[in-house]
Amino acid sequence: MTTRLERFTQKARNEPQTRFNALMGLLFDPEGLRESFERQNGKKAPGVDGIRKEQYGERLDERLAELSARLRRLGYRPKPARRTYIPKEDGRYRPLGIPSFEDRLVQDRLSRVLQAIWEPEFCECSYGFRPGRSAHDALRRVAEVITNEGTQWVVEADIKGFFDHVSHAHLVNFLEYRIADPKLLQIVQRFLKAGVMEDGVFTASEEGPPQGGLVSPVLSNVYLHYVLDLWFEKRYAGSCTGKAYLIRFADDYVACFEQEADARRFLTEMTQRLAQFDLEVEPSKTALLRFVDRP
């Protein structure tokens, strides 16, 4: 992390209500872009332009200076992600987007700027794609809540096709809660609209974060922070007659309740809440469970 970004991170932590209006300098900082270059895995498959890390690094100073200049004047436009498919356990295939190498650099830098703003604000219940947190930490928290807090009623939920159905309009509205820099928001929207290329055919992106994008995890966390996490902690939990806890990892989450009525009501109100933001639960992966202490 650069000293400049470190200072900004501290500022964001100390000013949780501030809307930041001069962020592009952090994005097009040549040294920051160089750090993003160094962080990239040279073995990653190339995007639509066929360029790998080794090739990009051949004229690195020149390339980074030119990239910084394009970002500064808003001449930078992301390329569509290259669509490929990877096998799933059930025999089907999951689509995967592979960004071009230069887009990886910009997305990496952008994700670090956004992370600096929102990491201090994210709720404790959020575990996915955050520094110092993992799926194992989330599972330990679930076990702790069920074992020590007497929350025997558990709603296990999954959002249907979350990464395909994130509303761009809602996401930009959420980003505007903390970002007042129209140029940075324009770069974000260009990534959202960059689309995918498959067999030479371009498909525009109308929903969802950038496929395979390095900035997608933080954008997804911002979306669910406002849609689910804050709503549960600030509104729903307070309306319960017993204890209530949420543990979320990306678009998978578990809600634990002391009282059955609170758990059953959550199923209904959660569905309504998600629908307000163009999301829905996956019925086959959503259920109400009861944990009973063994004698």
Side-chain angles (χ1 to χ4, degrees):
M1 182 183 293
T2 63
T3 301
R4 187 176 184 185
L5 188 55
E6 284 178 340
R7 290 198 299 268
F8 174 72
T9 300
Q10 190 60 46
K11 178 180 176 64
R13 189 176 297 277
N14 293 335
E15 302 176 18
Q17 303 304 318
T18 298
R19 293 184 73 226
F20 297 100
N21 58 12
L23 297 174
M24 283 298 289
L26 289 171
L27 185 63
F28 63 64
D29 175 27
E31 287 307 309
L33 293 171
R34 182 181 297 275
E35 288 184 1
S36 291
F37 171 83
E38 297 296 341
R39 278 193 295 273
Q40 301 310 305
N41 184 347
K43 296 181 180 179
K44 290 284 188 179
V48 294
D49 57 2
I51 296 176
R52 297 178 181 268
K53 181 176 182 177
E54 182 179 4
Q55 295 168 277
Y56 196 90
E58 290 174 356
R59 296 183 291 109
L60 185 60
D61 291 344
E62 179 183 340
R63 287 182 185 273
L64 292 181
E66 197 271 337
L67 173 59
S68 176
R70 273 187 287 132
L71 285 166
R72 184 193 295 264
R73 67 175 185 269
L74 285 182
Y76 168 80
R77 292 190 176 276
K79 295 178 175 61
R82 180 169 66 84
R83 171 69 59 79
T84 187
Y85 294 86
I86 58 176
K88 299 173 65 174
E89 292 182 358
D90 60 6
R92 294 181 298 172
Y93 286 84
R94 179 168 66 89
L96 180 68
I98 301 178
S100 68
F101 185 80
E102 189 169 79
D103 290 341
R104 288 181 186 273
L105 303 188
V106 180
Q107 287 200 43
D108 180 84
R109 187 64 181 171
L110 179 58
S111 71
R112 294 174 80 81
V113 174
L114 297 179
Q115 196 80 39
I117 297 172
W118 268 278
E119 181 58 30
E121 185 174 329
F122 285 151
C123 298
E124 283 297 312
C125 66
S126 170
Y127 286 86
F129 310 118
R130 295 182 61 190
R133 291 177 168 233
S134 68
H136 292 295
D137 295 324
L139 291 173
R140 277 193 292 269
R141 178 57 177 161
V142 171
E144 176 185 288
V145 167
I146 294 174
T147 303
N148 301 333
E149 301 298 338
T151 53
Q152 61 177 327
W153 295 95
V154 176
V155 175
E156 183 180 19
D158 177 86
I159 298 176
K160 185 176 182 179
F162 171 73
F163 291 97
D164 295 324
H165 295 107
V166 166
S167 162
H168 292 173
H170 287 311
L171 176 57
V172 172
N173 286 340
F174 294 149
L175 293 174
E176 287 176 341
Y177 289 162
R178 299 298 308 278
I179 297 175
D181 186 334
K183 293 183 178 179
L184 190 88
L185 291 173
Q186 189 170 346
I187 293 293
V188 172
Q189 290 182 80
R190 286 180 182 179
F191 273 117
L192 293 176
K193 300 297 184 183
V196 296
M197 187 76 73
E198 181 178 4
D199 296 330
V201 178
F202 171 77
T203 303
S205 301
E206 301 299 331
E207 297 177 302
Q211 286 202 11
L214 278 67
V215 74
S216 296
V218 67
L219 290 177
S220 300
N221 269 340
V222 167
Y223 201 87
L224 289 176
H225 172 70
Y226 293 108
V227 172
L228 189 64
D229 301 351
L230 280 182
W231 169 77
F232 186 92
E233 294 200 350
K234 301 298 184 182
R235 292 175 56 185
Y236 191 81
S239 72
C240 294
T241 57
K243 298 176 183 177
Y245 300 89
L246 179 70
I247 301 95
R248 180 178 65 80
F249 189 91
D251 58 329
D252 295 316
Y253 53 96
V254 171
C256 305
F257 301 92
E258 186 178 16
Q259 301 296 329
E260 178 183 4
D262 293 331
R264 293 192 179 280
R265 181 167 59 89
F266 175 72
L267 280 168
T268 300
E269 295 193 18
M270 168 193 65
T271 301
Q272 296 170 347
R273 174 69 179 178
L274 293 178
Q276 293 175 22
F277 299 94
D278 303 322
L279 299 174
E280 59 182 302
V281 295
E282 172 55 63
S284 64
K285 298 180 181 179
T286 302
L288 173 62
L289 311 171
R290 183 182 184 185
F291 287 81
V292 181
D293 292 335
R294 294 181 179 180

